[in-house]
Amino acid sequence: MEPWGYDTAMIADGQVISGDNSGQMHDLAEYFRQEEEGNGQVNIFTFQKATVVEKYIPEQDARLVAAHFPEENWLITSVTSPFSIFLAAVCVAGAVAIAVLLLLAAFFTRRMNRVVLEPVELLVDGAKRIQDGNMEEEIDYQGEAEFERVCQSFNDMQRTILENQKQREKNEKARTDMVTGISHDLRTPLTSIQGYIKGVLDGVADTKERQEKYLKTAYDSTREMNVLLQKLFEFSRIESGQMPFHMVRADLAEFTSVYIAQKEEMADPENVTFSLKVGQEAMPEINMDVEQIPRIFDNLLENSMKYAGTRPVEIEISVFATETEVVLEWNDHGNGVPEDKLPHIFERFYRCDEARKEKGSGVGLYVVNYIMEQHHGRVEAENDGGFKIRLLFPKED
C-alpha cells in the first residue's frame, strides 16, 4: 500500500511479526496488546494522528494492520533549517554582544581606575609628604574637572599650612629676639640702678646734690625698666585675650587735648613739642576705652621720640570728622619710615631698626593696631612731611 502512503505489518501479542518495523508501528503494536481480540471485521480508527486500518485474523491470532503515519509537516520541515540558522545566528550575535560588553566593561573599568584612583593616590601621597614634613611639592594632576578642583584645594591647603608654619617660625624667632632684646635693654638700666644706689651706699655721693643726682638717675632707670616691662605685659594680655575694653561715649578732640596738656607739663620743650588742630567746634562723640586710647598715644609718642631723628620732635595732632568716621592724625615731622617697610610696621615684633640702635620691643605699633581693631576702627601710616599715623574711628548712630 505504499502508493497510498500506508505501512503494513502483522502484529501478534503486542509484537510486530512482520512488515513495517518502525517505532510508530511498535507503539501501535503495544496499543493492540491492551485491546481485546478483534471481531474479524475491518476496523478503521486513528492512533496518534495516524489513520489505521486493522483486521483480526483468528487462524493466526494476529492482526493485519495498515497505518498511514503522517510525515512531519512540510512547513515545519521547511522551517526547521532556517530556524536552525536563525538560532545559530542569535547565539553567535549573543556571544559577540557579550564579548563587546566585556571589552567595554574592561575599558571603562580601566578608565574609572585612572579617573578615580589616580587622583586618590596622588592625594594619599600628598598627605604622606605633609606627614613627613615635605610641604614644598604640590600635586600635579590634569584630568577630570571635579578632581582637579579637589587637588587644587589640597594644594591651597598645603600652601596655607606652609605659610602658617613659616609665619610661626618667623614669629617664634621674632619673639625670641624680642625677649633677648628686652633682656639686653633691661640690663642697662638695672646696672645703672645698682651702680648709683651702690654709689650712695658707699658714700661716693658725699653731698646732698650728688645724692639727689644719683637717686634721680636710678629713678629714671626704673621708669625705663617699667616701660619695657609694661610692653611685655601688654603683649602678654593681647596674646592671651585678657586685655579688657570698657567703651564709653566721649569727645576724641577734648580727650586728646587733655592728654597733650598732661604731657606738656612733664615734657622738656627741647625734646618734644605738641600742637592740636580740631576740624570743627562740635565734634561727634565716639565709643572708646578711655584707658586704652592713652596707651595708643603713649606708643605713638615713644615711636616718634625714637625714630623721628630730630630735636625737638614736633608732634602735630589733627582731629576732624568725615561723613562716616572721626579721624585723628599724628605727624612727628621727622625722617619718616622707608617706603618698603611701611606695609610691615603694624606686624608683631617688626622693627624698622633691625640693627637695634634704639631700644624697643617691636610691639608698640602692633598694640596700636590691635586696640584700634577692638574699637572697630583702623589705622593707616604714610610718609607726609614726616611719619604720619592716621587713626580712623567709626561714627556712632
Side-chain angles (χ1 to χ4, degrees):
M1 301 180 68
E2 290 184 0
W4 292 279
Y6 281 81
D7 297 317
T8 59
M10 185 67 74
I11 297 174
D13 296 328
Q15 300 291 328
V16 177
I17 300 174
S18 62
D20 181 56
N21 199 31
S22 66
Q24 293 168 310
M25 190 62 75
H26 280 280
D27 292 339
L28 187 57
E30 183 65 28
Y31 167 76
F32 283 120
R33 179 197 297 272
Q34 302 171 6
E35 291 292 322
E36 298 179 355
E37 294 182 356
N39 53 15
Q41 298 179 354
V42 176
N43 298 311
I44 301 174
F45 61 93
T46 59
F47 173 79
Q48 294 182 353
K49 298 183 181 181
T51 302
V52 180
V53 180
E54 173 260 337
K55 180 175 176 56
Y56 179 70
I57 302 175
E59 294 80 6
Q60 299 180 8
D61 191 20
R63 298 173 189 269
L64 178 61
V65 176
H68 180 271
F69 298 108
E71 296 180 0
E72 294 182 352
N73 190 290
W74 66 271
L75 182 60
I76 296 176
T77 303
S78 63
V79 169
T80 300
S81 179
F83 179 76
S84 300
I85 296 173
F86 172 74
L87 184 60
V90 169
C91 292
V92 172
V96 172
I98 291 173
V100 171
L101 289 175
L102 290 175
L103 290 175
L104 289 175
F107 170 76
F108 284 110
T109 299
R110 287 195 298 270
R111 186 175 185 275
M112 188 61 65
N113 289 339
R114 181 181 65 82
V115 170
V116 176
L117 294 182
E118 180 183 356
V120 170
E121 290 176 355
L122 291 174
L123 290 170
V124 171
D125 293 340
K128 289 181 179 178
R129 287 198 302 271
I130 292 179
Q131 186 177 6
D132 295 336
N134 177 14
M135 288 183 285
E136 299 289 344
E137 184 179 352
E138 296 185 351
I139 295 176
D140 183 14
Y141 172 77
Q142 301 292 330
E144 296 296 322
E146 293 79 3
F147 289 107
E148 281 189 10
R149 287 196 293 269
V150 173
C151 293
Q152 184 60 44
S153 298
F154 185 93
N155 290 337
D156 294 341
M157 177 197 69
Q158 180 174 301
R159 283 192 290 269
T160 300
I161 294 175
L162 182 61
E163 291 173 2
N164 291 339
Q165 183 184 52
K166 291 181 178 179
Q167 186 62 41
R168 285 195 301 271
E169 293 174 354
K170 180 181 177 181
N171 290 342
E172 187 60 32
K173 182 180 182 302
R175 185 181 287 107
T176 302
D177 293 342
M178 182 191 75
V179 173
T180 302
I182 289 181
S183 299
H184 177 270
D185 293 342
L186 285 174
R187 187 179 296 113
T188 300
L190 182 61
T191 302
S192 175
I193 292 170
Q194 290 177 335
Y196 282 105
I197 291 179
K198 191 173 188 308
V200 173
L201 294 176
D202 292 345
V204 175
D206 52 1
T207 64
K208 183 176 181 181
E209 290 78 10
R210 181 171 290 182
Q211 289 177 355
E212 289 180 355
K213 180 180 179 181
Y214 276 31
L215 292 175
K216 184 178 183 303
T217 304
Y219 175 73
D220 291 341
S221 296
T222 60
R223 293 180 59 187
E224 185 177 341
M225 289 178 63
N226 183 63
V227 170
L228 292 173
L229 292 175
Q230 184 64 28
K231 293 291 184 186
L232 280 177
F233 179 64
E234 289 176 0
F235 178 74
S236 176
R237 295 174 74 187
I238 290 175
E239 291 292 280
S240 63
Q242 297 179 353
M243 179 176 283
F245 285 84
H246 305 287
M247 302 297 184
V248 297
R249 294 182 67 84
D251 186 326
L252 180 61
E254 181 179 346
F255 189 86
T256 304
S257 176
V258 173
Y259 174 85
I260 291 175
Q262 293 174 346
K263 291 298 179 182
E264 285 179 334
E265 290 183 1
M266 300 181 294
D268 184 350
E270 294 183 0
N271 289 328
V272 60
T273 62
F274 295 91
S275 63
L276 175 62
K277 296 180 180 179
V278 180
Q280 58 194 73
E281 293 184 2
M283 291 292 298
E285 292 184 342
I286 62 171
N287 281 339
M288 66 180 188
D289 188 316
V290 295
E291 293 185 2
Q292 302 297 345
I293 297 300
R295 184 168 284 117
I296 291 180
F297 294 160
D298 289 342
N299 287 343
L300 294 180
L301 178 59
E302 179 186 357
N303 188 78
S304 296
M305 296 297 292
K306 287 180 180 178
Y307 304 112
T310 60
R311 282 295 181 273
V313 179
E314 299 177 359
I315 305 296
E316 179 182 341
I317 302 175
S318 301
V319 182
F320 56 92
T322 66
E323 292 183 1
T324 58
E325 296 170 316
V326 175
V327 183
L328 183 145
E329 289 184 348
W330 179 292
N331 196 336
D332 59 17
H333 295 284
N335 296 330
V337 175
E339 291 294 334
D340 61 322
K341 296 183 177 181
L342 270 176
H344 306 287
I345 59 175
F346 297 110
E347 297 176 3
R348 284 185 298 182
F349 313 122
Y350 186 80
R351 289 172 55 88
C352 294
D353 177 25
E354 297 176 356
R356 296 192 64 85
K357 294 179 181 179
E358 296 289 343
K359 297 178 182 179
S361 59
V363 299
L365 294 182
Y366 169 72
V367 171
V368 170
N369 186 60
Y370 176 80
I371 295 175
M372 286 301 299
E373 287 179 349
Q374 301 307 306
H375 282 75
H376 304 290
R378 53 197 174 94
V379 57
E380 299 174 350
E382 64 177 342
N383 291 313
D384 182 13
F387 181 57
K388 179 184 287 187
I389 290 284
R390 186 176 294 107
L391 308 177
L392 302 103
F393 297 86
K395 276 184 178 180
E396 297 298 329
D397 294 336

